[in-house]
Amino acid sequence: MKTIYECSRSKMVKWITAIFILFMVFGVLAEMYYVSKGMDVTGAIIVSAILLAVAFSCFFICPLYIISDDEGIGIRTLLQTIKVPYKDIDHIERIDEQTPLLGVTTIRLFGIGGVFGYIGLFRTKGYGTFRSYVTDTKKAFLIYRVKGLPIAISVSEPDEFMPYYLKGGAK
């Protein structure tokens, strides 16, 4: 049986995303203004292209929903579905608010820290290094794999996600 869990964004992620988009729009408008005043057009095009490439890359890799089926768990983004088969999962742990996954002591090694979610490679003292596809830190899970880095995900209804895993994917 295939079950789809939405990846809702927290208020903080929505605010960071809105501010990011506002700055991107402001940057492009500022470039257009300076070009109209006689600035070098080539430099303006390069800067605008970089700004738009950053915005689109963030948008294309953000998680849309989590798929749980008989084979495993999938993280669906606009570009691809990242699959984690049940045979590769050691266990799944719900992240509680006492030990936050993406808190003050978390270091972002590579990725996005709040625009459309927390996506990339992170390291924290309590959990070590992990891949993150989290859109709401209060509804997060950490998938420990047999081989490879753990993967952090979040779903809109965490109380529905864990029982499904325990029925279908537990060893």
Side-chain angles (χ1 to χ4, degrees):
M1 184 172 120
K2 185 178 197 178
T3 308
I4 296 175
Y5 301 96
E6 261 186 65
C7 294
S8 63
R9 277 126 184 87
S10 66
K11 285 184 181 180
M12 179 64 82
V13 168
K14 288 178 183 177
W15 273 104
I16 291 171
T17 303
I19 292 169
F20 173 78
I21 290 172
L22 185 67
F23 274 109
M24 290 292 122
V25 169
F26 177 73
V28 171
L29 290 176
E31 288 291 327
M32 290 171 39
Y33 171 77
Y34 287 120
V35 167
S36 71
K37 295 295 183 190
M39 186 180 135
D40 180 31
V41 176
T42 307
I45 290 173
I46 291 171
V47 169
S48 294
I50 290 171
L51 289 174
L52 291 173
V54 167
F56 280 116
S57 65
C58 294
F59 180 69
F60 283 126
I61 63 172
C62 72
L64 301 173
Y65 51 87
I66 306 297
I67 305 165
S68 290
D69 57 18
D70 295 333
E71 297 172 10
I73 297 171
I75 305 158
R76 181 69 185 140
T77 68
L78 282 175
L79 289 179
Q80 66 180 346
T81 299
I82 298 126
K83 297 189 181 231
V84 183
Y86 285 129
K87 65 181 173 95
D88 293 344
I89 297 175
D90 184 38
H91 67 283
I92 296 179
E93 182 179 303
R94 174 86 190 264
I95 305 302
D96 58 0
E97 293 186 26
Q98 276 64 20
T99 54
L101 186 65
L102 295 160
V104 179
T105 61
T106 304
I107 299 170
R108 180 177 17 153
L109 301 174
F110 181 79
I112 306 165
V115 178
F116 298 110
Y118 300 94
I119 305 150
L121 199 59
F122 292 82
R123 178 181 295 151
T124 187
K125 190 174 184 180
Y127 299 106
T129 304
F130 60 92
R131 290 174 51 192
S132 177
Y133 295 94
V134 174
T135 56
D136 189 346
T137 57
K138 293 181 179 162
K139 299 176 181 178
F141 290 91
L142 199 56
I143 302 171
Y144 289 95
R145 301 186 301 166
V146 176
K147 291 182 182 176
L149 294 175
I151 299 176
I153 61 170
S154 63
V155 295
S156 297
E157 300 296 329
D159 294 332
E160 293 176 14
F161 176 74
M162 198 62 178
Y164 182 87
Y165 166 73
L166 291 175
K167 280 191 277 181
K171 294 179 180 181

